[in-house]
């Protein structure tokens, strides 16, 4: 079992550790003698600044990367979309577990998971990303993927809309 003890917080301006009373209330900067540290005789001891630590989930990303590499998706995306392929992969990694997840929640997911792009993709940026993809680029990607498939595999790309099958539409 591990125990934690709050010794202070980092001052964002100076990077110094500010002592607190455990309730996030201020104090004075920690001096070099505030924390007992054993050192070899006649060698100065200097307390280093705390490095912020973050924890991210990475298991699904490693799985998706392995699948993408095996299927040639990563190399084909990189070939067709060299400037944006990491963004496209990150969005795919976000959407794979839950295809109905809205893209405006990508930032929350990105802060908790590792992914190829490595930072947030705001919904405005994702809209611009999808808008700049041309029909020729899509066709090049699907042709490259088609060449990788075996004879008993196929790719299906459905561009129809559910509204065209609606029974609520009037027939003229």
């Amino acid at each position: 079992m591990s125990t934690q003890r709050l010794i202070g917080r980092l001052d964002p301006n100076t990077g110094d550790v500010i002592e607190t009373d455990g309730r996030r209330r201020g104090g004075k900067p920690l001096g070099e003698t505030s924390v007992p540290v054993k050192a070899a005789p006649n060698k100065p001891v200097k307390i280093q600044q705390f490095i912020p630590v973050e924890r991210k989930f990475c298991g699904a990303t490693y799985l998706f990367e392995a699948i993408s590499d095996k299927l040639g998706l990563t190399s084909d995306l990189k070939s067709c979309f060299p400037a944006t392929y990491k963004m496209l992969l990150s969005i795919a990694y976000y959407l794979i577990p839950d295809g109905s997840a809205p893209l405006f929640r990508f930032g929350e997911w990105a802060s908790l998971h590792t992914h190829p792009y490595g930072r947030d993709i705001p919904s405005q940026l994702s809209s611009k990303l999808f808008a700049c993809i041309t029909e020729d680029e899509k066709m090049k990607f699907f042709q490259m993927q088609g060449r990788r498939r075996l004879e008993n595999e196929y790719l299906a790309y459905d561009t129809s809309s559910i509204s065209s099958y609606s029974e609520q539409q009037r027939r003229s």
Side-chain angles (χ1 to χ4, degrees):
M1 180 175 166
S2 66
T3 58
Q4 296 179 354
R5 187 175 139 251
L6 176 65
I7 62 168
R9 61 180 171 80
L10 277 180
D11 184 327
N13 298 326
T14 65
D16 294 334
V17 177
I18 307 295
E19 282 186 277
T20 64
D21 62 1
R23 294 176 289 176
R24 297 188 180 265
R25 296 206 172 111
K28 58 182 170 83
L30 285 174
E32 289 189 6
T33 59
S34 295
V35 177
V37 177
K38 291 186 179 183
N42 300 326
K43 289 194 177 182
V45 175
K46 191 168 189 176
I47 297 175
Q48 296 181 357
Q49 292 182 348
F50 291 98
I51 299 170
V53 177
E54 64 181 7
R55 181 185 77 151
K56 292 194 176 210
F57 298 102
C58 56
T61 299
Y62 290 147
L63 173 66
F64 297 152
E65 282 177 354
I67 293 170
S68 180
D69 289 345
K70 184 170 180 149
L71 296 177
L73 289 171
T74 304
S75 61
D76 290 351
L77 283 170
K78 189 173 184 177
S79 175
C80 296
F81 312 101
T84 58
Y85 80 98
K86 288 184 178 182
M87 293 172 72
L88 293 168
L89 281 171
S90 292
I91 290 171
Y93 293 178
Y94 167 69
L95 293 173
I96 287 171
D98 181 9
S100 64
L103 281 178
F104 72 83
R105 291 202 177 127
F106 180 89
E108 180 182 334
W109 176 87
S111 69
L112 298 173
H113 295 80
T114 60
H115 58 94
Y117 188 61
R119 52 187 186 267
D120 185 17
I121 303 172
S123 59
Q124 297 88 348
L125 181 57
S126 63
S127 295
K128 288 179 183 176
L129 170 67
F130 295 132
C132 77
I133 296 174
T134 66
E135 201 61 38
D136 289 339
E137 289 171 326
K138 286 188 241 181
M139 290 310 298
K140 180 182 175 186
F141 173 76
F142 287 122
Q143 286 171 351
M144 292 175 82
Q145 279 291 292
R147 283 188 222 114
R148 293 180 184 274
R149 304 294 140 224
L150 301 174
E151 289 180 13
N152 61 349
E153 291 185 72
Y154 62 91
L155 287 173
Y157 185 62
D158 183 5
T159 59
S160 63
S161 171
I162 190 99
S163 62
S164 64
Y165 299 107
S166 175
E167 292 180 15
Q168 302 298 322
Q169 289 181 337
R170 290 185 191 161
R171 297 180 190 244
S172 319

